[in-house]
Amino acid sequence: MSLIIASFPETRSLAKKVAKSLRVPYADIKVDKFPDSEFHLVLKKNPNRKKVVIISSMAHDPSQKLLEVLLAGGIARDYGARQVILLATYFPYMRQDKHFIKYDSFSSKHVLRLFDEFNKIIAVDPHLHRVHNIGKLYSKAQKISTNKLIADYIKKRFKNNFTILGPDSESKQWASPIARVLKKEVVILDKTRFSGTRIKQQDIKQELAKNVIMIDDIISTGKTLAGALKIARHHGAKKLVCVGIHGILINNAPKLIRKYAELVTTNTIPGKYAKIDIAPLLVDTLRKYK
Ligand code: R5P
């Protein structure tokens, strides 16, 4: 047996489930802090001659989580791992995917490149907007997608006719293929972002079906979906469901959305609304490393 799945507390139950399905050992990564807040990590199994897959969701304090993962990868390397793979259920910093203003940070490129000690980075639905292929940002990175799991979930749960709505042009890469599989109409809104918290969507001309399911990759402040919900309601939608892949859900995001819609996310970021389990996707992806 040459594979070990290692993980941090946040993704422990997902990682354990994946390890159990693959019948490979699971190892906790213990994180302590020194008084000045520097980290000290311990990997709870010997990685010597193993392929080590580190599963981490790096939302909620992403800069800190990135460092934890980097240090964990370093442990595996130092103690003789044959391969070190990061499976990022959420990979942060991906929205800053170009220089937006003069002399600002093109973060996705530089953050990915921090993972030089890793043999591979597998990211679940990273935010790819202007750069469509994550391999172009960093050659050792690849993406995997939850689209099939989301389509299966929607198919099982919603039997009435509905329209799929993408709240902005980036969401098309999820909304359109899912609508295609489900053979449903898809409407994509146009959004302008003025800052991290200020956005505006363009109104549409057409009327929508009574049931609308919105799909977006990241739900952070919830403002993108709240704006789309307003437009959908204005155009005839009565029963609304918001499906997010990565539920960062900061501040009152759930409240903003749940006022008008049901909220469901995948468990790439564990939480109260994480009803779509990505374990089967991770198991399928990692099987070949056994
Ligand atoms: C942006 O391009 C993403 O696809 C999401 O639409 C965005 O990150 C959502 O952010 P918020 O919930 O803060 O509007």
Side-chain angles (χ1 to χ4, degrees):
M1 194 71 65
S2 74
L3 182 67
I4 292 184
I5 307 273
S7 188
F8 299 91
E10 195 186 13
T11 36
R12 178 187 287 127
S13 78
L14 174 64
K16 273 189 155 176
K17 189 170 176 186
V18 171
K20 196 170 167 201
S21 297
L22 289 169
R23 300 197 183 150
V24 299
Y26 167 81
D28 270 326
I29 303 166
K30 192 167 164 279
V31 182
D32 282 324
K33 267 188 185 172
F34 286 106
D36 60 359
S37 89
E38 286 183 1
F39 290 126
H40 177 251
L41 273 73
V42 178
L43 175 65
K44 294 298 209 173
K45 272 199 171 63
N46 182 357
N48 190 31
R49 304 180 64 76
K50 308 279 187 202
K51 294 177 194 164
V52 178
V53 174
I54 298 172
I55 296 185
S56 175
S57 169
M58 293 181 277
H60 306 137
D61 216 342
S63 311
Q64 186 166 314
K65 302 270 174 61
L66 281 167
L67 187 57
E68 289 175 7
V69 172
L70 287 168
L71 291 173
I75 298 174
R77 226 353 125 228
D78 289 350
Y79 283 91
R82 269 174 34 211
Q83 264 189 54
V84 186
I85 297 163
L86 165 61
L87 202 159
T89 58
Y90 171 71
F91 198 97
Y93 282 99
M94 291 297 289
R95 283 169 290 179
Q96 297 163 51
D97 58 358
K98 68 167 193 171
H99 292 290
F100 286 92
I101 54 170
K102 215 167 180 186
Y103 313 132
D104 79 339
S105 48
F106 184 161
S107 306
S108 58
K109 179 173 71 178
H110 294 290
V111 169
L112 275 163
R113 288 176 189 183
L114 291 173
F115 289 85
D116 201 36
E117 294 245 42
F118 286 70
N119 296 89
K120 190 176 264 304
I121 298 167
I122 303 169
V124 179
D125 282 316
H127 184 86
L128 295 170
H129 180 197
R130 282 148 285 251
V131 181
H132 297 287
N133 177 357
I134 192 168
K136 289 232 163 91
L137 290 168
Y138 185 53
S139 61
K140 289 195 264 180
Q142 75 171 76
K143 81 158 190 183
I144 53 174
S145 172
T146 57
N147 277 354
K148 186 180 175 307
L149 292 174
I150 293 176
D152 288 349
Y153 176 86
I154 293 176
K155 198 171 183 175
K156 239 184 251 158
R157 269 220 44 210
F158 304 102
K159 304 290 179 203
N160 294 334
N161 193 30
F162 55 82
T163 294
I164 299 270
L165 193 132
D168 54 23
S169 61
E170 294 101 300
S171 65
K172 195 171 174 202
Q173 58 192 293
W174 296 281
S176 289
I178 291 172
R180 206 175 311 123
V181 170
L182 298 171
K183 300 191 174 65
K184 299 293 178 194
E185 179 201 26
V186 61
V187 176
I188 307 288
L189 303 182
D190 255 336
K191 177 177 89 176
T192 310
R193 182 173 283 287
F194 302 100
S195 72
T197 51
R198 228 165 52 78
I199 56 117
K200 189 169 166 41
Q201 274 125 332
Q202 240 163 46
D203 202 0
I204 46 173
K205 294 212 168 68
Q206 77 212 78
E207 280 305 284
L208 295 171
K210 206 171 99 208
N211 303 308
V212 167
I213 300 180
M214 297 199 187
I215 301 179
D216 202 2
D217 60 335
I218 299 169
I219 312 177
S220 178
T221 63
K223 294 202 172 162
T224 297
L225 284 175
L229 282 171
K230 198 168 162 196
I231 292 175
R233 279 161 43 83
H234 189 70
H235 289 271
K238 298 268 182 282
K239 192 164 179 324
L240 292 134
V241 180
C242 289
V243 179
I245 297 169
H246 307 296
I248 301 179
L249 299 171
I250 59 168
N251 303 329
N252 64 344
K255 207 168 154 199
L256 274 183
I257 294 165
R258 281 165 42 80
K259 193 163 171 203
Y260 299 113
E262 180 185 338
L263 170 60
V264 179
T265 70
T266 77
N267 60 348
T268 61
I269 301 171
K272 190 170 162 193
Y273 305 100
K275 305 262 164 60
I276 305 172
D277 184 18
I278 63 159
L281 171 67
L282 305 196
V283 170
D284 270 0
T285 307
L286 296 178
R287 208 182 296 283
K288 70 170 183 215
Y289 294 99
K290 261 179 85 172

